[in-house]
Amino acid sequence: MLLNPREASFVELMKILFSSDDVAKYKFVERSRSEEGVDDESLCHRIVIFVSVVVQKVLLSMAEPLAAFGSTLENWLNLVSQNGGFFALLINYLKGEVVYPEIESSSFLSFVGNIDKRMELEWEIRQEDARYYPALSIMAAKASYENHNYIHSAVNHHWKMNFVKFQAYWNDYQGKGTTEAFVMEDKNNTIIVAFRGTEPFDADAWCLDFDISWYDIPPLGKIHSGFLKALGLQQSQGWPAEQDAGKPETAYYGIRRLLKERLQRNDRAKFIVTGHSLGGALAVLFPAVLALHQESWLLERLEAVYTFGQPRVGDERFSNYMRKTFDQNNVNYFRFVYSFDMVPRLPWDNSTLMFKHFGTCIYYNSFYQGKVVDEEPDKNYLSIIWTIPKIVNAWWELIRSFILPCVKGDVYEEGTLLRIMRMIGILLSAGISAHITPDYVNSTRLGSPHLFHPLPSSNANAQKTIKMH
């Protein structure tokens, strides 16, 4: 079932909400008659369609002003930061010595980067540490929000690893390069692919998130349409084994080609896929499409998938298919969820949407204490029972921001912007502040290393003992 918000008129939206007509009769809805198990005529399902289309239409209408606001805010944050703070900026202005940020420079930070400015890896987490790849993966996922020069500098000069490529890949449905990812290689012959998540002021990315229509792809199952489009789904073609040579390269085909080139040069090399938020969804979908195309050679070289704050991607058939695929290829899949982060609890796992999680869920509370669970608490973020605990937890996170650096060191000092996000989390109680990257970075650094074991590529002799649920 596919939704096209550009084709939806106000009158049709009202009709689909209040009329009992078949939803497939509306021009902005395309539905296969072969689908089973979903009552598209129910009021709940009509409300979901209505909300999804309305939100996308609003986002599309706000795309330019939203991007302009985000650009202005990022420039201001970098201007203040690169001049040493607001008062130092005033002094520099009076002296005529203001340092103006260069947007594509290695020192320019995105809004996400300004929330958490840490670039360095945690020096105490060495290659033989079980936390090494989770900690490296979240830092790569965080860096994926930045520009090419920043990522290149972080990987080569700060992490002392090998930067391979950064690219904004083509989205065939949006008609532009909107899916960003970069590839790097560490000293253990491990290639890391990091997909960028949803940027706060990118309407295109938000539209993909709210596009809860789906494709039913045998034998994979029903999969979130927006995520498929971001990864490289081809208009009117689906997932051909090879992309048309005349088209701009999409993320799936481009990264698959690059991995084949790199892995063929080194028989010992493996690769890891990671991402935060939307990036986590793409990290899970990438091996799914590899399996669809029977790329067994690549799947055998896939060491692990680490996702952080990842939304649900597909239905139960998709979950079962991926469990089997990962088990057959001995792939570790760790899905990190911090506290009351809302995004891993979306889209809903209910009778209307039927989205399911799978894999090993590493759940961290606000004390950064982790445990392996089947599903995060309050799995759909709607339970009234959890309302008061969420509010109390949001207050604790703000208080903790003043305590943590005193206990763990200056590297855990939180800036003004992050504390503002904490306060917004208190006001809205909507799991917004819990989704940002700092708490995922802290979880992998401060959490127990006993939840997972080092991968074989870290030159450790430990075996993988945590199996997928």
Side-chain angles (χ1 to χ4, degrees), residues 45-273:
H45 200 264
R46 288 172 179 272
I47 291 173
V48 169
I49 293 173
F50 176 83
V51 171
S52 176
V53 173
V54 168
V55 171
Q56 290 182 72
K57 288 184 78 69
V58 171
L59 286 167
L60 290 170
S61 68
M62 294 175 55
E64 292 187 7
L66 185 63
F69 173 78
S71 178
T72 301
L73 179 59
E74 287 180 347
N75 273 288
W76 169 251
L77 291 171
N78 280 276
L79 180 66
V80 172
S81 177
Q82 293 185 23
N83 282 276
F86 180 74
F87 292 107
L89 173 61
L90 291 179
I91 294 172
N92 286 350
Y93 179 77
L94 294 174
K95 290 181 178 180
E97 299 176 354
V98 175
V99 178
Y100 292 97
E102 298 180 14
I103 295 178
E104 293 299 325
S105 70
S106 60
S107 60
F108 190 91
L109 288 169
S110 67
F111 181 79
V112 173
N114 274 286
I115 292 175
D116 182 4
K117 297 181 180 180
R118 289 175 291 185
M119 178 190 287
E120 303 296 340
L121 302 177
E122 174 56 68
W123 66 271
E124 291 184 351
I125 301 180
R126 304 184 183 278
Q127 293 177 3
E128 62 274 12
D129 193 315
R131 295 169 296 172
Y132 173 72
Y133 278 112
L136 177 59
S137 292
I138 182 55
M139 289 300 289
K142 186 171 87 73
S144 67
Y145 287 93
E146 309 305 325
N147 65 69
H148 176 277
N149 290 320
Y150 177 98
I151 299 172
H152 186 278
S153 176
V155 173
N156 282 1
H157 304 304
H158 292 265
W159 303 351
K160 306 301 180 184
M161 298 178 187
N162 180 32
F163 172 83
V164 178
K165 187 174 185 178
F166 169 85
Q167 185 170 331
Y169 290 96
W170 185 257
N171 183 315
D172 208 29
Y173 286 80
Q174 293 179 331
K176 60 180 81 171
T178 59
T179 303
E180 294 184 0
F182 81 92
V183 180
M184 56 175 276
E185 187 172 2
D186 76 350
K187 297 177 181 179
N188 291 327
N189 298 307
T190 301
I191 299 168
I192 294 93
V193 179
F195 288 96
R196 186 200 69 178
T198 303
E199 289 185 326
F201 307 104
D202 183 353
D204 290 321
W206 282 108
C207 282
L208 293 173
D209 292 334
F210 279 96
D211 183 3
I212 52 83
S213 54
W214 43 260
Y215 273 92
D216 190 347
I217 304 178
L220 272 62
K222 293 176 181 176
I223 304 174
H224 189 290
S225 174
F227 302 155
L228 285 172
K229 293 171 183 176
L231 187 62
L233 187 72
Q234 303 292 287
Q235 284 203 66
S236 72
Q237 291 182 289
W239 286 109
E242 301 294 336
Q243 186 180 4
D244 290 346
K247 286 188 175 182
E249 208 164 42
T250 64
Y252 168 75
Y253 295 100
I255 293 171
R256 186 186 68 175
R257 176 185 54 79
L258 182 62
L259 284 172
K260 286 182 177 180
E261 293 173 358
R262 305 289 300 188
L263 294 171
Q264 285 171 352
R265 300 176 191 171
N266 186 347
D267 291 337
R268 296 187 303 163
K270 299 282 188 177
F271 74 99
I272 285 172
V273 189

Side-chain angles (χ1 to χ4, degrees), residues 307-408:
T307 69
F308 305 88
Q310 170 216 316
R312 296 184 178 100
V313 175
D315 66 357
E316 189 168 6
R317 275 196 300 144
F318 176 75
S319 298
N320 293 335
Y321 181 87
M322 292 309 297
R323 285 191 191 97
K324 182 179 179 181
T325 297
F326 284 164
D327 283 343
Q328 287 177 342
N329 293 280
N330 200 28
V331 177
N332 283 279
Y333 168 41
F334 294 104
R335 182 174 62 84
F336 291 80
V337 177
Y338 168 75
S339 191
F340 292 112
D341 183 354
M342 176 189 284
V343 175
R345 295 161 167 94
L346 297 173
W348 295 325
D349 177 359
N350 59 15
S351 59
T352 301
L353 295 181
M354 301 188 299
F355 281 86
K356 301 287 184 182
H357 271 312
F358 67 98
T360 302
C361 177
I362 309 293
Y363 177 77
Y364 288 95
N365 63 22
S366 56
F367 292 91
Y368 302 125
Q369 297 169 333
K371 61 180 179 179
V372 177
V373 297
D374 292 323
E375 186 79 63
E376 55 273 9
D378 190 18
K379 70 174 185 177
N380 286 327
Y381 210 84
L382 298 175
S383 175
I384 298 176
I385 297 174
W386 288 94
T387 301
I388 293 177
K390 288 173 188 174
I391 295 172
V392 172
N393 194 75
W395 275 106
W396 158 242
E397 288 175 337
L398 179 60
I399 296 169
R400 185 192 62 193
S401 71
F402 296 94
I403 298 174
L404 195 61
C406 300
V407 177
K408 296 296 183 180

Side-chain angles (χ1 to χ4, degrees), residues 404-420:
L404 195 61
C406 300
V407 177
K408 296 296 183 180
D410 292 342
V411 71
Y412 295 98
E413 180 72 38
E414 296 188 2
T416 303
L417 183 59
L418 178 49
R419 285 182 178 143
I420 290 174

Side-chain angles (χ1 to χ4, degrees), residues 435-447:
H435 184 59
I436 52 183
T437 57
D439 287 316
Y440 283 102
V441 174
N442 293 348
S443 295
T444 56
R445 295 184 178 191
L446 300 176

